[in-house]
Amino acid sequence: MRVNRILLSSSLIVVALVIQVSVLARLHLPGAVPDLLLLTVLGLALVYGHVGGALIGFAAGLLADLAPPADHAAGRYALVLCVIGYLAGLVKPESGQVKSATGPMVVVVAAAVGSTLLYAGVGALVGDTAARHVGLGGLLFTAALYDLLLAPFVVPGVMALARRAENDPLAETNPAKSGDIASGWLSGGTGLRIGGQRGGLRVKAARARVARAGRIKGVKRL
């Protein structure tokens, strides 16, 4: 991963984890807790792809496993977010512009349900039966509901920041393609490639003038 990706991802993960532990976990909402860390991993995975999503998810989950007041085995949530980040990165759009928010909403709901099921499944393997006492059905419903309500305020912003990092002049390759899932959430777009498009138009216009001048000179010689 590039340095700018690592710095941005690390900063976003730390901020999300601090807010998750100090604010969201203290709201005492019925059922699950809104998973800001999961939404951050989703936003980054939808820009960086499946490999970046898996690495970011593992790092974010491991940090959550070690951060107090964690009461489960270390590595459990790291495995969950690693899988979710990988799967979310697989639906990263390669080209084109998604104008509807339906796709991202489906990804968020699937990730919320999938992460809850996977977390409960891994817990059952290690002897943690807390999900049975709370009620798995209620956890699935509230996890999907809370994450879906929180997603429009988190995922588009994370994706926009990731796209800006990709367009950093120090980046190793060209900027990321302008069309991605974030356009379904942000109707205005970021417009980061307007300058590059104008430069391309100027080059094409100059080439057309040179070709036209060459044809005119050829006619005069005849």
Side-chain angles (χ1 to χ4, degrees), residues 20 24 32-39 42 77 104-105 107-113 115-116 139-155 185:
Q20 176 104 15
L24 298 179
V33 176
D35 201 336
L36 183 61
L37 197 61
L38 172 66
L39 297 178
L42 287 180
Y77 199 47
M105 288 192 297
V107 172
V108 170
V109 173
V113 174
S115 62
T116 304
L139 284 177
L140 292 175
F141 175 77
T142 52
L145 178 62
Y146 296 154
D147 290 350
L148 190 59
L149 293 176
L150 189 61
F153 304 99
V154 178
V155 178
W185 299 84

Side-chain angles (χ1 to χ4, degrees), residues 116-199:
T116 304
L117 288 175
L118 186 57
Y119 187 83
V122 175
L125 293 177
V126 297
D128 184 359
T129 59
R132 297 180 182 178
H133 302 293
V134 177
L136 185 58
L139 284 177
L140 292 175
F141 175 77
T142 52
L145 178 62
Y146 296 154
D147 290 350
L148 190 59
L149 293 176
L150 189 61
F153 304 99
V154 178
V155 178
V158 171
M159 294 182 71
L161 289 174
R163 290 180 62 187
R164 286 182 179 274
E166 287 293 273
N167 283 274
D168 194 303
L170 299 179
E172 298 176 2
T173 57
N174 292 331
K177 296 180 181 179
S178 58
D180 58 28
I181 291 181
S183 59
W185 299 84
L186 301 174
S187 58
T190 58
L192 293 175
R193 298 192 64 189
I194 293 177
Q197 293 172 352
R198 289 177 178 173

